[in-house]
Amino acid sequence: MFGVQTRKQMLAAYEPMADYGFLGPESVSWKVWSHPTSYVLGFARAVTIEHFDPNLAAAVVQSGGVKYRPSTRYGRTLRYFAMQLFGGAEQTARAADVLVKVHSKAVGHDPVTGSTYDANSSSSQLWIHVTAWHSILKCYEMFGPGKLTEAEEDRFWAECAEIAQLQTIDPAQVPTTRAEVHRYFEQWRPRLAASEAAQDMIHFIIPLDVALPPSMPGWQKRLLAPAMWLMSKGVISTYPRYMRDMANLQQGRVVDLVALVGNKALHKLFERSMNARLALFELLAPQAVEIAAPAILGIPPRSDRVWGVREAQAHFGFDIPAEAHHDVREKQRDRVFKQGVKPSDEGLVESEQHIGAMDPAHVPATSGAAGF
């Protein structure tokens, strides 16, 4: 299934970024996010736990995107996270700007809370952001190299706060230490909901095979099934007990131990083999590989500049996300809350050139280091 390529062939397969974006290779975040534990375990943990926010679950269910195009939804989301970490400053700032327009259509009524939701709200975006960064670090610690030093962790959360400025997040609300992150989740706990929608989406995603390309032959899926099972159990093993209960995910200590040992071994293999590492990435998120691979392979960008997020937004002519596209956002809110019609798809087509195709048929075939 895989074609082994030399490092020279791998390096030739990818174009360098324009610059180091907002973090660069000296950042702690590059080390953590580029580790193989991020691609499936950390990312899957984040996108499942997120559904305990009833507003987010309502937005996901009502849009229907995850159910009717799971592989491209997975790939587009992972591509955007890869851009935040590894992409060039201008392309990432532009993608973040377009994403405000995409999220403007995710407004509506939340049947669980009886309130309304808006995907561009600061609190909603902060929940997604913190859950993602915490999940990536959690899986790095459990299944990868282990805990960061105290100084490294301080830098990791400072970098998390910097990247939060790409979203409609109030920077003052971003937790910047492990203790603050733990307090953040405790403060959110009374707001979480084990709704039917949340459980349905978590159980849909957690087997992980939904991220596989729909065109993949059945025999290949069967070949990958043991690894997907092991990684799925690994994701569940990272859940705190109360979240397992909320999601109705029953998994005992023996399976937790099998998942721990097995995933440590599996991800050690991915860490040692660049071919296996990029093959996994290309299999699950081909849209993200061209962004992440240069960083993983150490391909230097055309410029070694590292930007501040606000600096780049001002330089390249983009509004601060919280202040961007209020005309589009108001238009969508008017359609949904006053006219009682569906939001328009404004921003979606534009987003494809920046975040990746929505139609699986239009996702480019993998052509990089993995060589399918």
Side-chain angles (χ1 to χ4, degrees):
M1 181 167 61
F2 305 125
V4 177
Q5 295 195 8
T6 66
R7 182 169 179 81
K8 183 177 181 180
Q9 290 172 315
M10 294 181 198
L11 294 174
Y14 302 104
E15 294 292 325
M17 293 290 107
D19 49 53
Y20 277 129
F22 307 114
L23 297 171
E26 300 305 314
S27 67
V28 176
S29 300
W30 266 42
K31 178 173 74 169
V32 175
W33 280 80
S34 66
H35 195 272
T37 51
S38 299
Y39 312 162
V40 181
L41 299 174
F43 189 68
R45 183 184 194 272
V47 298
T48 49
I49 285 177
E50 286 170 2
H51 287 85
F52 289 127
D53 171 12
N55 284 181
L56 183 143
V60 169
V61 170
Q62 290 173 27
S63 74
V66 173
K67 281 290 183 76
Y68 70 77
R69 51 179 180 84
S71 63
T72 56
R73 179 67 179 258
Y74 185 97
R76 277 165 57 90
T77 305
L78 193 51
R79 177 184 172 91
Y80 180 66
F81 276 112
M83 292 178 75
Q84 290 184 324
L85 273 293
F86 312 119
E90 182 177 11
Q91 70 174 147
T92 305
R94 187 178 302 279
D97 183 74
V98 170
L99 199 60
V100 174
K101 287 192 274 188
V102 173
H103 284 157
S104 73
K105 74 185 297 291
V107 293
H109 296 278
D110 178 357
V112 173
T113 65
S115 63
T116 61
Y117 65 83
D118 180 345
N120 274 317
S121 74
S122 177
S123 63
S124 180
Q125 286 297 306
L126 182 59
W127 167 251
I128 293 169
H129 186 73
V130 175
T131 301
W133 281 69
H134 175 262
S135 293
I136 294 297
L137 181 57
K138 175 80 170 178
C139 291
Y140 178 89
E141 291 178 340
M142 283 187 64
F143 307 113
K147 280 185 174 292
L148 301 175
T149 66
E150 185 176 347
E152 286 177 326
E153 187 163 351
D154 286 344
R155 287 184 60 192
F156 180 83
W157 292 116
E159 290 158 6
C160 170
E162 176 67 20
I163 296 301
Q165 295 177 93
L166 286 165
Q167 304 304 117
T168 56
I169 293 169
D170 177 358
Q173 299 300 312
V174 183
T176 56
T177 66
R178 180 182 290 256
E180 289 180 5
V181 170
H182 288 172
R183 281 197 296 273
Y184 174 81
F185 282 113
E186 283 304 309
Q187 290 166 0
W188 258 85
R189 187 167 174 176
R191 301 166 58 181
L192 304 182
S195 65
E196 181 180 358
Q199 290 192 13
D200 178 61
M201 290 309 306
I202 291 170
H203 284 258
F204 177 73
I205 296 169
I206 207 70
L208 304 181
D209 56 351
V210 296
L212 297 174
S215 60
M216 174 178 278
W219 69 267
Q220 289 187 359
K221 291 183 179 180
R222 290 190 292 273
L223 188 63
L224 290 169
M228 301 303 283
W229 178 89
L230 182 65
M231 288 189 285
S232 172
K233 298 305 180 184
V235 173
I236 296 170
S237 73
T238 68
Y239 275 43
R241 181 61 56 183
Y242 77 91
M243 285 189 176
R244 296 193 202 191
D245 292 341
M246 290 177 68
N248 193 25
L249 292 171
Q250 307 302 320
Q251 182 167 297
R253 293 180 181 179
V254 173
V255 177
D256 280 355
L257 181 60
V258 170
L260 177 63
V261 175
N263 276 292
K264 276 181 171 289
L266 180 63
H267 288 80
K268 180 61 70 174
L269 168 65
F270 288 136
E271 187 178 8
R272 289 176 176 172
S273 170
M274 190 60 70
N275 270 281
R277 192 170 178 177
L278 291 179
L280 175 68
F281 213 152
E282 288 203 16
L283 176 67
L284 297 173
Q287 303 97 317
V289 177
E290 65 177 349
I291 304 297
I296 294 171
L297 290 166
I299 300 173
R302 292 190 290 273
S303 165
D304 62 2
R305 180 168 182 175
V306 177
W307 295 75
V309 172
R310 291 288 186 253
E311 176 192 20
Q313 288 164 340
H315 180 83
F316 295 113
F318 298 107
D319 290 333
I320 292 172
E323 301 171 4
H325 305 299
H326 279 294
D327 56 336
V328 177
R329 295 173 65 180
E330 286 304 314
K331 188 190 307 180
Q332 298 284 38
R333 293 180 67 84
D334 182 77
R335 287 177 63 89
V336 173
F337 298 126
K338 294 182 180 179
Q339 300 178 44
V341 298
K342 291 183 178 180
S344 72
D345 287 338
E346 188 163 355
L348 277 180
V349 173
E350 183 183 359
S351 75
E352 292 195 85
Q353 62 181 304
H354 304 293
I355 311 175
M358 292 181 289
D359 184 346
H362 298 155
V363 175
T366 54
S367 59
F372 283 94

